[in-house]
Amino acid sequence: MTKKTTWSDRFESALHPAIAIFNASIGFDIELIEYDLTGSIAHAQMLGKTGIIATEEVDKLVAGLEQIRTEYHRGEFTPGVEAEDIHFAVERRLTDIVGDVGKKLHTARSRNDQVGTDVRLYLREEITNIRGKLREFQLVLLELAENNVETLIPGYTHLQRAQPLSLAHHLLAYVQMTQRDWERLGDVYKRTNISPLGCGALAGTTFPIDRQYSAQLLNFEAVYDNSLDGVSDRDFAIEFLCAASLIMVHLSRLSEEMILWSSEEFSFIKLKDSCATGSSIMPQKKNPDVPELVRGKTGRVFGHLQALLVMMKGLPLAYNKDLQEDKEGLFDGVKTVKACLEAMTILLAEGIEFKTSRLNSAVEEDFSNATDVADYLAAKGVPFREAYNLVGKVVKKSLTAGKLLKDLSLAEWQQLHPAFEEDIYQEIAPQTVVSARNSYGGTGFEQVRSAIARAKSQLSS
Ligand code: ARG
């Protein structure tokens, strides 16, 4: 049995050493130190403003807390398990520095509202960081799109060649997905930016505190209206992990495409040496490790979301120690999303090269212009379904003859239907096929150019 530490005289002996380790969160909640210090400073100032403690006492507390910050930055503050968690670690060090007045800091506060405050301050900042990284990622996509409006790429449904596309249109789809991610994080921010400080252990406090004041010092938009809710709500963290999971879904889908595109079979992109790795045994290999890792890491972010949902579902009000389990997954989710966004941004900016001539010719070698033949006839008054059946026949015939549609003679076309004229060749050329899809939101070059303009103004707002 170790020496009795933090608890009141209700306790006669200390925690079993193994239980102390089991109970401690200092190993991971040290991550919250800056927010714990900032939150404590605001709390101390509020205690001063309301006259709960004296101004000189506030000054001592604030100076002591700032000293801990400096010590931490210098690598001199390294609390161990005996501190249990970051909140006790800071309070204990503070009392070492400033003496007995340090013991006044926890007046009218509990670790329950304190930890809730810390996690919100942490997440608020990280949401802003992630939104910044999302923007950088989008800007790289947008630049690639601008440079590739008239580069063609096969478009797929069911991973079968469907209709050719502007490469820019394909890339802009990801700009839109991540734009929703950016907005979603903005919504999560609003619900993260509410102060639980002053909710106490669960029921509020007997002291004449001013919750609005400490919230204002910490730049919170509002305070929790119900103390029980304030100390036990983790909705904001769940919402964040949900938004983070969607970011990962989007990054993972793009990763999957990068992996396919860099394969010999597709050969749409070349991986540059700065973002590819070799094999330890097969000298010819160049592996797309970056997108593979992003795709692989997606699972753990989903896992953190699931873990937090399950952890919460059975908790009676208000605080339960289970809530200590909210942190590791949240921290890892934040780190993973940031790392993946960074890596994908580098990959797009300088790790790949689109093989544009290969892409432009890829769309020449298939039947992805078949819809356009049917549209050609339909525009000349042939009912679309009839035209569709007719083109199905030509495709079948061409396949048997080992030909593409562009290889058919005008006589062959006219045999099929007298409405075909010389212009059919121009109409089924990939550039025409793509540029003709000029409906709003479509892949037509004109549409893509205005989509780029819209995205630019979206991203700069
Ligand atoms: N380390 C704890 C946590 O992360 C702090 C709050 C402890 N509160 C309590 N009543 N034991 O949740």
Side-chain angles (χ1 to χ4, degrees):
M1 294 278 167
T2 49
K3 204 173 122 275
K4 176 169 114 55
T5 49
T6 319
W7 312 113
S8 72
D9 294 337
R10 182 192 199 286
F11 286 79
E12 276 164 19
S13 64
L15 268 177
H16 186 287
I19 297 302
I21 292 169
F22 182 68
N23 202 39
S25 54
I26 188 68
F28 49 87
D29 65 16
I30 186 77
E31 180 99 33
L32 295 173
I33 182 160
E34 298 276 357
Y35 310 99
D36 198 71
L37 294 168
T38 304
S40 286
I41 289 171
H43 178 68
Q45 285 167 338
M46 183 281 293
L47 291 177
K49 180 194 178 249
T50 50
I52 298 169
I53 64 174
T55 321
E56 312 81 70
E57 293 177 320
V58 177
D59 294 344
K60 281 188 192 148
L61 292 175
V62 172
L65 290 163
E66 287 301 356
Q67 182 178 326
I68 298 174
R69 201 191 296 276
T70 308
E71 290 174 357
Y72 175 70
H73 290 164
R74 290 193 185 136
E76 294 162 10
F77 182 65
T78 51
V81 286
E82 73 290 345
E84 184 179 329
D85 62 19
I86 185 62
H87 323 295
F88 277 145
V90 166
E91 192 180 331
R92 193 177 295 179
R93 177 72 193 125
L94 180 67
T95 305
D96 285 347
I97 297 171
V98 302
D100 276 355
V101 63
K103 297 181 184 164
K104 290 200 172 183
L105 176 66
H106 213 53
T107 313
R109 183 177 75 170
S110 151
R111 279 186 301 157
N112 299 349
D113 55 341
Q114 184 179 1
V115 70
T117 304
D118 293 4
V119 174
R120 283 167 182 82
L121 291 174
Y122 157 85
L123 190 57
R124 205 174 68 171
E125 185 164 324
E126 292 294 2
I127 286 174
T128 304
N129 292 337
I130 294 172
R131 288 181 102 203
K133 291 197 186 301
L134 270 171
R135 267 286 180 271
E136 285 166 32
F137 173 74
Q138 291 180 301
L139 289 170
V140 169
L141 276 172
L142 193 58
E143 193 184 325
L144 272 176
E146 268 191 289
N147 296 335
N148 287 288
V149 173
E150 300 206 10
T151 306
L152 304 184
I153 185 169
Y156 299 82
T157 62
H158 314 270
L159 202 54
Q160 306 284 325
R161 296 268 182 112
Q163 289 170 352
L165 300 170
S166 148
L167 172 56
H169 191 57
H170 193 117
L171 298 170
L172 287 171
Y174 286 99
V175 174
Q176 291 303 308
M177 292 176 227
T178 45
Q179 181 58 18
R180 290 193 296 276
D181 290 329
W182 190 85
E183 287 167 14
R184 212 175 339 264
L185 282 177
D187 289 336
V188 179
Y189 187 97
K190 284 184 218 152
R191 282 179 292 278
T192 301
N193 199 20
I194 300 173
S195 173
L197 195 56
C199 287
L202 75 166
T205 173
T206 53
F207 289 93
I209 59 169
D210 184 345
R211 292 189 55 206
Q212 267 74 20
Y213 183 69
S214 54
Q216 198 185 314
L217 291 176
L218 295 169
N219 285 318
F220 279 117
E221 194 58 41
V223 302
Y224 273 85
D225 277 329
N226 180 295
S227 63
L228 293 167
D229 183 34
V231 291
S232 61
D233 172 31
R234 294 295 183 271
D235 293 3
F236 65 97
I238 293 175
E239 271 192 72
F240 167 78
L241 285 172
C242 187
S245 294
L246 282 169
I247 295 173
M248 292 305 295
V249 168
H250 298 147
L251 293 183
S252 186
R253 293 183 74 181
L254 180 59
S255 295
E256 173 66 15
E257 296 198 314
M258 296 285 161
I259 295 160
L260 286 172
W261 291 354
S262 65
S263 70
E264 192 78 37
E265 285 69 14
F266 277 79
S267 241
F268 291 172
I269 57 173
K270 202 174 111 190
L271 292 171
K272 296 204 201 156
D273 293 356
S274 63
C275 290
T277 51
S279 150
S280 60
I281 170 171
M282 298 166 282
Q284 85 285 10
K285 291 288 294 290
K286 209 169 181 191
N287 296 330
D289 285 21
V290 172
E292 286 176 318
L293 273 173
V294 170
R295 188 178 60 184
K297 285 174 189 289
T298 298
R300 63 203 261 174
V301 179
F302 295 179
H304 298 320
L305 170 63
Q306 178 72 0
L308 192 50
L309 282 166
V310 174
M311 187 273 276
M312 289 301 293
K313 76 177 268 292
L315 294 190
L317 293 179
Y319 180 86
N320 300 268
K321 187 76 171 196
D322 314 46
L323 288 169
Q324 182 164 288
E325 286 292 307
D326 63 353
K327 289 168 201 65
E328 287 161 288
L330 182 63
F331 296 165
D332 184 71
V334 164
K335 277 181 204 138
T336 304
V337 170
K338 287 204 296 194
C340 290
L341 276 168
E342 261 167 42
M344 285 301 272
T345 303
I346 295 169
L347 182 69
L348 289 177
E350 53 191 89
I352 58 162
E353 191 182 299
F354 281 101
K355 298 185 179 174
T356 39
S357 61
R358 151 80 187 140
L359 280 166
N360 284 322
S361 62
V363 295
E364 299 271 359
E365 297 150 14
D366 60 29
F367 288 87
S368 62
N369 50 3
T371 319
D372 299 80
V373 181
D375 287 352
Y376 177 94
L377 287 178
K380 297 201 174 211
V382 181
F384 180 79
R385 188 54 64 212
E386 202 177 299
Y388 164 92
N389 285 328
L390 228 124
V391 180
K393 251 184 249 166
V394 201
V395 172
K396 188 174 167 195
K397 220 174 110 187
S398 309
L399 278 170
T400 330
K403 283 180 175 180
L404 291 165
L405 293 177
K406 65 176 178 182
D407 303 327
L408 299 180
S409 69
L410 186 59
E412 285 174 296
W413 280 116
Q414 287 174 338
Q415 242 169 30
L416 245 120
H417 201 284
F420 284 112
E421 291 172 78
E422 189 64 44
D423 65 349
I424 182 64
Y425 296 103
Q426 179 52 36
E427 290 304 309
I428 62 172
Q431 289 279 338
T432 320
V433 162
V434 175
S435 91
R437 294 209 153 65
N438 201 26
S439 53
Y440 184 89
T443 192
F445 302 133
E446 221 176 286
Q447 283 303 319
V448 171
R449 286 202 176 87
S450 46
I452 288 174
R454 284 198 304 273
K456 271 189 175 169
S457 79
Q458 248 180 343
L459 301 199
S460 63
S461 73

